[in-house]
Amino acid sequence: MNNLRKSNIGKLPQQEFDVLILGGGINGAVSAAALAAKGVKVALIDKGDFAGFTSSNSSNLAWGGIKYLESYEYALVNKLCKSRNHLMRSYPSTVKEIRFLTSIQKGFRFPPFFIYMGTLLYWAMGRFFTKAPNYLSSKSIKNKEQVIDTSNVNGGFEYSDCYLYDNDARFVFNFIRSSMSYGCIAANYVESLGSKREGNIWITDAKDTISGEQIQIRSKCIINACGPFVDPVNNIVGEKTEHHHVFSKGIHLIVDKITDSNKVLTFFADDGRLFFVIPMGTKTCIGTTDSQVENPYAKVTEEDRQFVLDNANKLLDLAKPLTKHDVISERCGVRPLAIKGKDGKADWVQLSRKHAIDTNSETHYMSIFGGKLTDCINVGNEVADIVKSFGIKLPYLDKKWYGEPDDSIKEEFMHRAELMNFDALTPESSSEPLTQRFWRRYGRNAINMLESIRENPKKGELLIKNSEYLTVELEHAANREMVTKLDDFLRRRSKISLVLSQQQILADPGLLEACHILFGDQAEFKLEEYKQSLNVKI
């Protein structure tokens, strides 16, 4: 069923591109969206799925970097606050303000009121764009949130930052989808085997990891946006850079909803790092850890899992302690931290997530290091400026490439949805009305999806129990979202495998039907492939 991917792979060797982007995480996605909208001929490949690595394992927070105040990185905090506010204005349905209810334990390195003063500075650096912080006594914290164990709390405060209402991978993919709508030729599961410069052209050998087919892609420029793999790709190509990456591993555990307060409960864990209890629809996300690792292929260890559970049980007043049997799913990824030179430790106080772009103006090659979701619009704009400096023409230089569709399109969608009483179809398992989710996830395409349901009401039915996703969404994913493996849909285009256990998913009778919609004649093969990836015995 994946005709879009097949078509795009066929186009990759047939023309000369202005820019080839390696990597479809947040840095590659915004680079593609910015350049394609401005009229540049862009190709993008990723050896796995889009947002398949770091960009699908974040805390789902788009914040101004309050923790960097402790390391006196005021310029970075100022920049990130501006970026956060801009993201909120540009994506009001996706990037939303949320309150952080913070508890400070007795004996912490700073008294609560001192840290509260820092939140006032943070609020000011954020141009007073969010609600004001409030100082709270231990008693006030308990009154606001019964689930917090305040027996060892000295005081605290409440302040505002932002979170992604959908999962991070979906946010990233929407930039990929936008770039394709502007003419970018993007394909997942296409690996770069190496690039060489011949005259003024880069020739990149690439391999379709699904079929094994090898192709060559010609481009005037290359953008290395491979996230944790920037350095090994540069080593293969022979490009020298000022920066390199070190890796900090972070994990999150997903459990059944702990509280209905819809606030991020914030603490400092035993290692001194910020520790979050984050709302995730009908579930709760808990984390994170921070440990330096050498290999980007990180996994959740028993020690990691126990660290998160122990801190949750210590800081929360739960009816019964959380155990590993309460864990529905796990998120694990590495933070690529950009540093100069060859030394550096991934200490949260010493190293930040600020990005760096190293360029080679002679070979028209750039490498993007570090970065975070909050700063993504800046990365896209910077990349466009660098490509222009390489001598590539940007025919629509001032074209705005980001943001939700304008209000008139939203009003039309909402009007049509109201006429057909669309929200009445909202599944009981959904954490929000269908109109909100459809607009946020699909934008202008949501209008056509409404019409499909109007013509065939069965397309408004739930296929996988407790998943929130309707049949029409699966059809949309099959046609326009380059779902190549079942995990692409369950984990990244949606968040089904984050909020449902493997056992629930595999036992659902609608899963095979979903596979038929996504993969047609390959349905059973793709389902078996997914089961094998989970090491499930059939």
Side-chain angles (χ1 to χ4, degrees), residues 14 40 63 66 72 75 89 102 113 127 170 191 204 227 251 299 316 318 324 381 421 428 431 459 470 483 500:
Q14 292 180 356
V40 178
W63 59 339
I66 189 172
Y72 312 112
R89 292 190 193 98
T102 307
F113 193 78
R127 283 79 176 164
R170 181 74 208 185
E191 181 179 6
T204 298
I251 77 154
K299 294 185 182 298
L316 300 174
L318 300 170
K324 62 182 181 181
N381 287 332
N421 198 17
E428 290 184 11
S431 58
K459 294 186 178 182
L470 308 184
V483 175
L500 297 180

Side-chain angles (χ1 to χ4, degrees), residues 27 33 78:
N27 290 335
N78 181 62

Side-chain angles (χ1 to χ4, degrees), residues 309-377:
L309 291 171
D310 286 347
N311 274 276
N313 290 327
K314 177 182 176 181
L315 298 165
L316 300 174
D317 185 9
L318 300 170
K320 62 175 185 173
L322 289 171
T323 72
K324 62 182 181 181
H325 302 294
D326 296 306
V327 177
I328 297 166
S329 63
E330 300 173 335
R331 296 161 68 92
C332 178
V334 295
R335 309 171 187 92
L337 304 169
I339 64 171
K340 292 183 180 180
K342 295 185 178 180
D343 299 318
K345 293 183 179 180
D347 184 278
W348 76 276
V349 173
Q350 297 176 6
L351 285 176
S352 65
R353 293 288 302 280
K354 57 187 174 186
H355 71 272
I357 303 179
D358 289 357
T359 63
N360 186 334
S361 57
E362 291 184 7
T363 61
H364 294 177
Y365 188 102
M366 78 175 84
S367 305
I368 308 176
F369 295 90
K372 55 194 287 117
L373 292 168
T374 311
D375 209 25
C376 65
I377 293 176

